[in-house]
Amino acid sequence: MIMRSAPSKDAPMPSPFAHSRPVRILLVEDHDMVAEAICLALERSPDLQVVARAASVASALADVQRCEPDVVLMDRRLPDGDGVTAIADLLALVPDARVLVLAGEGSASVAARVAEMGGAGLILKARGLRELEEAVRRVAAGEVVFSQDLLGDVLERLTGRTPGLGANLTPRERETLHLLGEGHSTARISEQLGVALNTGRNHVQRVLEKLGARSQLEAVTVARREGLLK
């Protein structure tokens, strides 16, 4: 048996996130004030370095090859697309990069999409800059990181213990969704369903609520992504 001496009480403990060089970060955030605050917070730590900042999906795809970052810190909502959808394209360009999604709000379905696309995690902006720093370190070290209030639901969804998004739509709501997918207005949907305009509005609103969408366009986008519409 090989005996190892115990470390001195005064000796610093090695960090599990220690790197031979700083963790290189590509920050993808289109709001200047938010981006500047994040940059300042990350760069006050000598083990973290923001090597580039992008404000769109297109810029991120251009920068990720040029910079070859360890971590891409990606806002979910960008002017030219969804940061979650862009994960696969980023990883196709730099397979060794780790993508951590930063979102103003989150849900189990969104977090599960991040995992399914190959992302390393999702953290909510409301969690604070200190937690963000730690999440970047953990992701760079190979961990998968989700905000604690999402983690349980993510695991359940990924293991099939909870139904997919839109599973609880009624037949009438599914019909409403298909009409939305064809580009019909609420008035036209009501006419097609043979119901009063207010009833048609209620059907549309319930579809939006069940899909977690804030607009009819977003509902259609989510439905196509989830396989509810072709």
Side-chain angles (χ1 to χ4, degrees):
M1 177 183 291
I2 299 174
M3 300 296 294
R4 292 182 175 85
S5 59
S8 165
K9 291 183 179 179
D10 297 327
M13 294 297 292
S15 168
F17 311 112
H19 284 70
S20 58
R21 58 171 175 76
V23 174
R24 294 167 54 81
I25 303 160
L26 167 60
L27 174 61
V28 188
E29 168 61 63
D30 61 316
H31 292 95
D32 286 340
M33 289 183 66
V34 175
E36 288 172 11
I38 291 173
C39 284
L40 288 171
L42 295 178
E43 293 196 325
R44 68 189 174 194
S45 300
D47 61 329
L48 303 176
Q49 179 186 13
V50 178
V51 294
R53 178 193 154 195
S56 66
V57 172
S59 296
L61 292 173
D63 287 343
V64 74
Q65 277 189 300
R66 177 176 60 83
C67 301
E68 295 190 346
D70 301 307
V71 176
V72 179
L73 183 56
M74 187 98 173
D75 191 14
R76 183 192 167 199
R77 299 186 185 278
L78 293 161
D80 59 344
D82 179 4
V84 178
T85 304
I87 292 174
D89 292 331
L90 289 166
L91 295 179
L93 295 171
V94 184
D96 291 336
R98 306 274 288 163
V99 182
L100 176 62
V101 175
L102 186 61
E105 55 188 24
S107 66
S109 61
V110 172
R113 277 185 60 221
V114 171
E116 289 163 355
M117 296 294 287
L122 180 147
I123 186 166
L124 301 179
K125 293 180 180 179
R127 304 303 297 180
L129 293 172
R130 288 288 186 186
E131 188 166 329
L132 176 60
E133 290 178 49
E134 189 67 8
V136 170
R137 291 189 182 97
R138 292 175 60 189
V139 163
E143 295 186 41
V144 174
V145 179
F146 287 91
S147 290
Q148 286 299 316
D149 42 359
L150 295 175
L151 184 57
D153 289 339
V154 173
L155 293 175
E156 288 187 352
R157 186 173 291 274
L158 290 176
T159 55
R161 291 170 55 190
T162 57
L165 199 63
N168 60 343
L169 289 172
T170 66
R172 179 48 63 94
E173 289 162 0
R174 287 182 181 275
E175 190 176 356
T176 301
L177 177 59
H178 281 283
L179 291 170
L180 284 172
E182 292 173 0
H184 294 303
S185 66
T186 302
R188 179 61 176 159
I189 289 171
S190 302
E191 183 181 327
Q192 291 282 93
L193 296 177
V195 299
L197 181 58
N198 282 342
T199 303
R201 286 195 185 111
N202 289 337
H203 287 323
V204 170
Q205 186 57 39
R206 281 195 292 271
V207 169
L208 266 61
E209 289 171 357
K210 290 184 179 182
L211 294 181
R214 292 178 291 184
S215 68
Q216 294 181 16
L217 178 59
E218 185 178 5
V220 171
T221 301
V222 170
R224 286 184 175 143
R225 184 190 71 219
E226 297 290 330
L228 300 172
L229 289 175
K230 294 182 180 179

